[in-house]
Amino acid sequence: MTIRMTEEQFKARQMRQKSTISASKSKGGARALGRLKQGVMNNTERKYAQHLEQLKLSGEIQYFAFDSIKFRLADKTFYSPDFIVMKANGELEAHEVKGFWEDDAKVKIKVAASMHPIPFVAVYWDKQSGWKFENF
């Protein structure tokens, strides 16, 4: 499908995008607009994957996978945790790595946790104390 727009419409769209970028910068720093492609880790996720690899080598976990499972929450509504982790005892957990929460993401993880019988865990990096965890 091809979308055609006039030069005026194109310039108006560019101005809206610039104002969105300016607004995000004024709210505490620049943030990326949109998401990375599916299956591509951001820096925090890469750092957490390295942490999980160390846990795997030490025998604390058996397995982990990035962006590999989707949970259906409703019609046309899904939640994909960043990592699925199998602990040493065989228990599965869904780990969500976060630098900050968008409202819809927090709602989705809470709904997924209420619908499915596995633990859902939010993971945060704290410069002073390392990885922090919040269970849902």
Side-chain angles (χ1 to χ4, degrees):
M1 179 172 146
T2 303
I3 299 174
R4 298 189 187 272
M5 60 178 78
T6 66
E7 186 174 350
E8 234 175 64
Q9 290 170 321
F10 180 73
K11 286 180 181 179
R13 182 178 177 169
Q14 283 184 314
M15 291 304 291
R16 283 193 306 275
Q17 287 176 333
K18 285 180 184 177
S19 67
T20 302
I21 292 169
S22 297
S24 71
K25 284 182 181 178
S26 68
K27 292 181 181 179
R31 292 194 338 220
L33 294 177
R35 303 186 186 275
L36 295 174
K37 289 182 180 181
Q38 187 172 6
V40 177
M41 292 184 205
N42 64 34
N43 290 336
T44 309
E45 291 163 344
R46 264 193 300 282
K47 189 173 187 171
Y48 189 64
Q50 291 170 348
H51 172 71
L52 290 173
E53 188 60 40
Q54 291 301 312
L55 293 178
K56 186 177 172 185
L57 292 173
S58 72
E60 291 183 53
I61 66 172
Q62 293 183 37
Y63 167 85
F64 70 93
F66 176 72
D67 200 17
S68 61
I69 292 181
K70 268 188 180 177
F71 292 93
R72 180 184 300 274
L73 306 180
D75 285 345
K76 299 181 183 177
T77 305
F78 296 89
Y79 167 66
S80 294
D82 293 323
F83 292 92
I84 292 297
V85 177
M86 181 183 286
K87 295 166 54 174
N89 65 3
E91 181 182 338
L92 286 178
E93 292 183 342
H95 290 205
E96 183 68 31
V97 179
K98 286 294 180 195
F100 60 90
W101 282 102
E102 297 289 346
D103 289 339
D104 68 325
K106 200 162 215 174
V107 168
K108 282 184 175 184
I109 195 171
K110 287 179 179 181
V111 170
S114 72
M115 292 175 67
H116 299 283
I118 70 168
F120 287 79
V121 181
V123 181
Y124 309 90
W125 176 251
D126 181 62
K127 290 178 183 177
Q128 273 126 27
S129 59
W131 294 108
K132 290 191 163 196
F133 302 91
E134 178 183 355
N135 295 305
F136 288 89

